[in-house]
Amino acid sequence: MQTDLKNRRLRLLKTHCPELEISTEKAVLESHGCDWTRFRTPDATVVVFPRSTDDVTRLVGVAAKHRIPLVPSGGRTGLSGGAIAPAGEVVVSFDQMRRIIDYNAVDRTLTVEPGVVTQAIQEYARQKNLYYPVSFASEGSSQIGGNIATNAGGIRVLRYGLTRDQVVGLKIVDGRAELIECNSGLVKNASGYDLRHLFIGSEGTLGLIVEAMLRLSDPPAPSRVMLLAVSSLEGMMTVFRQFNDALTLTAFEFLSGAAMSYVRAGHGLPEPMDTEAPYYALLEFDCADPDTEDLALQRFEYCLDEGFVLDGVISQSEAQAAELWRYREGISEAITRYTPYKNDLSVRISKIPDYLHALDQLAKSRYPEYEVLWYGHFGDGNLHMNILKPEDMPVEEFEKACARVNPDVFELTRTHHGSISAEHGIGLLKQNYLSYTRSDADIERMRGIKAVFDPMNIMNPGKLLG
Ligand code: MLT
Ligand code: ZN
């Protein structure tokens, strides 16, 4: 990006928003101009730190008038490049908007600023003897604004739904610098288009979230976690059905044997059981009494007798449950050093075995020289395909090689009526493939919606729709 243009943007901001905290420090530009995605280099002009909705509105007004592109930045844990600023953009960090604004015990709602960290929301809810159910490995750093902008999913979707299902009110400053208030906490509201849901999952391309009202749930029942060694994908489906029919599942995750090896090596975890298997299932279920545990053990025995399951362990304490979760939640971090190329795919649950077999065949024939790991949220149909970069291969070459096979992966996804992005978003990395999941007419409709809220194209330009 040309220095002249960057200087002009900086000058305009300093002149028109003199009260705004800004940073042009190299380290801040690099850290805040980027998310967890590899494969792209940040080149932000400046990082700004608004402290209030007024600050955001003023900033967007100046940006709209002078066509300054803005990139929203939360906890920067995204994996599709949605928070990368690669072309001299102004990064809008919500690190200074971290207040919990209101808790309403009758409505069971929590109103927060966008920079509140997901885990802080979970903890706040717990103190009130309630529950914020959206949970995933990066919840200790990710911010609620980013969760909403990407409609974050995670591990308990099969029971509690996505972030979308928890948001009962939203305030947005759109690309026209107008404050839009959506729904204000109503449970029922049949007054026309629910704009809230347009902003959720829009990846910051329509406006900046400045406030959110979240629904809190009943506290969860006591639970148990089981880790099962599973003999095949068909076996996994049977195990899922057996347990899902008998128990109230809160999670049903899976990992391949290779993913198990990497997570163990990466975190120094012991063998979870004596038997090795091609796949592992990690289940969590409500278990308030011994009868429920007996029921779970009966289903386990049945799966063992029929050969679907080869071995298994069940938690007897919260500490043991947390230890078992590490085999699943620790994978992403354990493989970071292999610069994985990630595809985040989904199909209907019933289609997983067919789809995964076909994908695995494709990966073996087209990526014979790479290691491909599978893990994900089996219980909601979300599969994470991770291709590991050989140590001596340059990153650009590796990305190109992986991208060459993408059309085949996504064509297979299309024929299985799936999605090329289940929960990581389209961002910068997947926009060339959007048409494998959305029709041309749909993409045109999305462009039309963007033009309504962001006519100057200043809201995270270049992301999602390209
Ligand atoms: C996960 O399920 O572990 C996350 O989506 C992160 C990842 O896919 O690596
Ligand atoms: Zn995931």
Side-chain angles (χ1 to χ4, degrees):
M1 157 66 50
Q2 294 161 3
T3 316
D4 285 1
L5 193 52
K6 282 188 175 177
N7 286 341
R8 180 175 171 271
R9 288 174 180 172
L10 198 52
R11 218 173 30 246
L12 283 165
L13 282 188
K14 283 184 174 165
T15 309
H16 297 290
C17 305
E19 70 294 336
L20 206 60
E21 183 182 330
I22 66 172
S23 175
T24 49
E25 258 178 57
K26 191 169 178 282
V28 178
L29 292 179
E30 277 173 13
S31 63
H32 285 64
C34 202
D35 58 19
W36 282 2
T37 316
R38 308 297 182 88
F39 308 120
R40 293 292 181 278
T41 317
D43 185 22
T45 292
V46 59
V47 183
V48 301
F49 297 90
R51 290 177 178 274
S52 65
T53 298
D54 281 353
D55 279 357
V56 175
T57 310
R58 252 194 311 278
L59 166 70
V60 177
V62 174
K65 187 163 173 207
H66 299 282
R67 292 189 174 237
I68 301 173
L70 304 174
V71 174
S73 164
R76 307 186 299 281
T77 57
L79 295 165
S80 296
I84 296 181
E89 295 92 339
V90 170
V91 173
V92 186
S93 164
F94 289 96
D95 286 358
Q96 304 287 3
M97 290 180 71
R98 288 176 180 251
R99 279 182 316 137
I100 292 192
I101 297 169
D102 182 52
Y103 164 66
N104 188 311
V106 176
D107 297 331
R108 292 186 162 186
T109 55
L110 194 61
T111 306
V112 294
E113 289 188 326
V116 178
V117 169
T118 316
Q119 203 169 57
I121 292 173
Q122 295 164 345
E123 273 160 21
Y124 193 97
R126 205 169 300 130
Q127 280 163 23
K128 301 292 178 192
N129 200 27
L130 291 169
Y131 187 49
Y132 183 69
V134 179
S135 176
F136 41 82
S138 59
E139 65 198 17
S141 340
S142 80
Q143 296 177 4
I144 190 68
N147 291 188
I148 295 170
T150 55
N151 189 22
I155 55 179
R156 299 208 168 85
V157 171
L158 88 167
R159 171 73 181 282
Y160 294 98
L162 296 144
T163 298
R164 181 184 299 292
D165 302 296
Q166 325 305 325
V167 178
V168 291
L170 209 53
K171 287 188 189 169
I172 303 278
V173 175
D174 76 353
R176 297 172 186 263
E178 284 175 15
L179 182 65
I180 302 178
E181 302 197 29
C182 307
N183 197 57
S184 50
L186 298 177
V187 178
K188 287 185 163 181
N189 182 359
S191 61
Y193 307 138
D194 195 337
L195 300 183
R196 159 184 51 157
H197 290 294
L198 278 181
F199 294 108
I200 300 171
S202 65
E203 302 188 39
T205 60
L206 302 178
L208 301 176
I209 296 162
V210 287
E211 198 177 297
M213 195 187 287
L214 306 167
R215 185 170 72 91
L216 302 181
S217 302
D218 284 333
S223 62
R224 285 269 200 277
V225 173
M226 266 182 159
L227 184 65
L228 304 177
V230 181
S231 55
S232 67
L233 278 174
E234 289 69 24
M236 185 74 74
M237 184 55 82
T238 310
V239 174
F240 175 67
R241 286 209 56 191
Q242 283 292 322
F243 282 88
N244 199 30
D245 289 351
L247 304 163
T248 304
L249 289 179
T250 46
F252 191 101
E253 301 282 304
F254 93 111
L255 53 150
S256 63
M260 174 60 92
S261 304
Y262 276 90
V263 72
R264 284 192 48 217
H267 295 288
L269 302 177
E271 277 181 16
M273 57 193 99
D274 293 337
T275 318
E276 286 193 5
Y279 297 99
Y280 294 85
L282 188 141
L283 304 65
E284 186 186 73
F285 52 93
D286 288 354
C287 189
D289 51 57
D291 287 351
T292 312
E293 188 171 353
D294 283 351
L295 200 55
L297 293 175
Q298 278 167 26
R299 297 290 160 142
F300 171 70
E301 293 294 337
Y302 169 81
C303 291
L304 201 61
D305 290 347
E306 296 294 318
F308 303 125
V309 159
L310 307 171
D311 203 347
V313 280
I314 183 167
S315 66
Q316 294 301 330
S317 65
E318 272 186 35
Q320 275 178 11
E323 275 166 29
L324 292 179
W325 265 114
R326 290 202 72 199
Y327 291 98
R328 168 63 187 90
E329 291 270 69
I331 303 173
S332 199
E333 193 190 331
I335 62 174
T336 304
R337 65 195 192 92
Y338 301 96
T339 322
Y341 186 90
K342 288 172 178 288
N343 272 325
D344 162 45
L345 309 159
S346 70
V347 287
R348 284 171 58 182
I349 304 163
S350 53
K351 291 187 191 287
I352 295 179
D354 272 2
Y355 175 60
L356 194 45
H357 272 311
L359 270 180
D360 206 28
Q361 281 306 108
L362 183 72
K364 285 197 174 99
S365 68
R366 301 291 305 280
Y367 300 119
E369 67 278 35
Y370 305 137
E371 186 141 29
V372 180
L373 305 188
W374 297 101
Y375 54 92
H377 316 285
F378 191 98
D380 61 35
N382 180 184
L383 311 174
H384 295 310
M385 177 192 205
N386 282 253
I387 307 158
L388 306 189
K389 186 180 83 58
E391 211 175 325
D392 48 358
M393 194 169 189
V395 171
E396 296 75 34
E397 195 185 318
F398 174 63
E399 189 196 4
K400 276 195 192 127
C402 293
R404 269 199 292 278
V405 187
N406 272 344
D408 293 339
V409 171
F410 297 144
E411 186 52 39
L412 208 59
T413 309
R414 182 189 353 229
T415 58
H416 285 79
H417 305 286
S419 175
I420 64 153
S421 177
E423 60 173 3
H424 293 174
I426 299 296
L428 260 186
L429 299 192
K430 297 291 172 336
Q431 54 193 222
N432 291 340
Y433 309 108
L434 191 55
S435 61
Y436 284 89
T437 296
R438 306 299 294 264
S439 67
D440 290 348
D442 252 13
I443 294 171
E444 261 328 290
R445 288 179 195 113
M446 287 202 259
R447 287 192 203 289
I449 290 168
K450 177 150 168 86
V452 169
F453 293 104
D454 181 27
M456 295 304 176
N457 193 26
I458 55 163
M459 287 293 165
N460 218 3
K463 313 289 168 50
L464 176 54
L465 295 168

